[in-house]
């Protein structure tokens, strides 16, 4: 029996490697050009970050439920947001709002970023820690807290990425951006769009990007 389980595991590992490569090629064809992002997504085993029952769909370009009303974003959204955040610069120190299952965290780590990540749901934060350990990515600083307030003690950040939709742009996050830093996040309720904020010497530049659909950013922590 043990031998059969090992063989099944090895076979699935080979299958997941092939399907992950196909996923990356689809991202490239869809316009993702940053090789750091593509390489990161080719190296992170996304199937480790979804429930076992959904593992066969891990490399489809869809969002998937991870429990507690939350989802893992579709690969194209992860790639697009990461590419915009890092465009033309070194990754530096990045704050992620909404750790979820830890997949976006893992991709950021693989680009070479120094990652701080906040999650309001303690049960999901524990799951993210387990997932990241399984993927042998243990260098992120994971924090249980309310993402609206950011993480002032570790600021300023070269990049901030939010993986839940806020009604408005939290002022605390703007204050925690380094000069020259970027913040990318979904904003809105019924209708949502990605917004890119860039802090320059001349002030804050705001750009509305793609329409998206994210779970809402909720206050407090549980």
């Amino acid at each position: 029996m043990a031998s059969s389980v090992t063989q099944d595991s090895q076979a699935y590992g080979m299958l997941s490697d092939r399907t992950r490569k196909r996923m990356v090629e689809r991202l490239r064809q869809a316009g993702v050009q940053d090789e750091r992002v593509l390489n990161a997504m080719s190296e992170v085993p996304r199937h480790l970050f979804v429930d076992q029952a959904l593992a066969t769909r891990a490399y489809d370009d869809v969002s998937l439920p991870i429990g507690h009303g939350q989802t893992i974003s579709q690969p194209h959204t992860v790639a697009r947001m990461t590419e915009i955040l890092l465009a033309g610069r070194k990754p530096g120190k990045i704050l992620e709002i909404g750790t979820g299952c830890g997949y976006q965290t893992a991709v950021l780590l693989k680009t070479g970023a120094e990652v701080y990540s906040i999650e309001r749901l303690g049960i999901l934060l524990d799951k993210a820690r387990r997932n990241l350990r399984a993927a042998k990515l243990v260098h992120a600083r994971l924090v249980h807290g309310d993402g609206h307030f950011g993480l002032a003690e570790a600021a300023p950040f070269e990049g901030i990425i939010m993986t839940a939709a806020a009604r408005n742009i939290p002022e605390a996050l703007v204050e925690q951006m380094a000069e020259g830093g970027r913040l990318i996040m979904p904003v809105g309720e019924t209708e949502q769009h990605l917004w890119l904020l860039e802090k320059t010497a001349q002030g804050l530049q705001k750009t509305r990007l793609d329409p998206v659909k994210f779970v809402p950013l909720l206050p407090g922590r549980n």
Side-chain angles (χ1 to χ4, degrees), residues 96 98-102 105-106 109 115-119 124-133 137-145 151:
E96 177 190 21
T99 315
C101 63
T105 316
L109 286 170
V115 182
Y116 294 77
S117 187
I118 300 176
E119 172 57 52
L124 271 187
L125 197 64
D126 290 341
K127 178 183 282 191
R129 287 194 175 101
R130 292 194 298 272
N131 292 343
L132 289 164
R133 280 198 298 269
L137 292 165
V138 296
H139 302 300
R141 284 75 161 182
L142 304 185
V143 179
H144 185 204
L151 196 63

Side-chain angles (χ1 to χ4, degrees), residues 17-134:
D17 288 344
R18 291 197 296 271
T19 54
R20 189 157 63 250
K21 287 177 182 177
R22 287 199 292 270
M23 177 192 76
V24 171
E25 284 308 308
R26 289 196 302 269
L27 293 173
R28 195 187 300 276
Q29 291 168 12
V32 178
Q33 299 179 358
D34 192 322
E35 291 297 328
R36 298 171 299 176
V37 177
L38 293 168
N39 288 339
M41 297 191 71
S42 73
E43 293 174 5
V44 175
R46 191 171 187 256
H47 62 276
L48 295 182
F49 293 85
V50 302
D51 291 342
Q52 190 172 359
L54 297 172
T56 56
R57 302 193 64 199
Y59 299 102
D60 295 346
D61 195 30
V62 294
S63 61
L64 295 169
I66 58 173
H68 312 285
Q70 305 300 302
T71 60
I72 177 174
S73 296
Q74 66 187 96
H76 184 264
T77 300
V78 173
R80 171 101 170 115
M81 291 179 72
T82 307
E83 182 172 55
I84 292 169
L85 192 70
L86 302 185
R89 62 178 64 191
K90 294 181 179 179
K93 184 164 60 172
I94 292 177
L95 175 64
E96 177 190 21
I97 308 296
T99 315
C101 63
Y103 180 67
Q104 175 72 77
T105 316
V107 171
L108 290 168
L109 286 170
K110 277 292 189 180
T111 68
E114 178 186 354
V115 182
Y116 294 77
S117 187
I118 300 176
E119 172 57 52
R120 65 177 291 272
L121 295 174
I123 195 167
L124 271 187
L125 197 64
D126 290 341
K127 178 183 282 191
R129 287 194 175 101
R130 292 194 298 272
N131 292 343
L132 289 164
R133 280 198 298 269

Side-chain angles (χ1 to χ4, degrees), residues 199-214:
K199 185 178 281 189
T200 72
Q202 291 74 42
L204 196 64
Q205 296 182 356
K206 300 179 182 179
T207 306
R208 193 174 82 162
L209 303 170
D210 317 344
V212 289
K213 187 64 177 175
F214 280 80

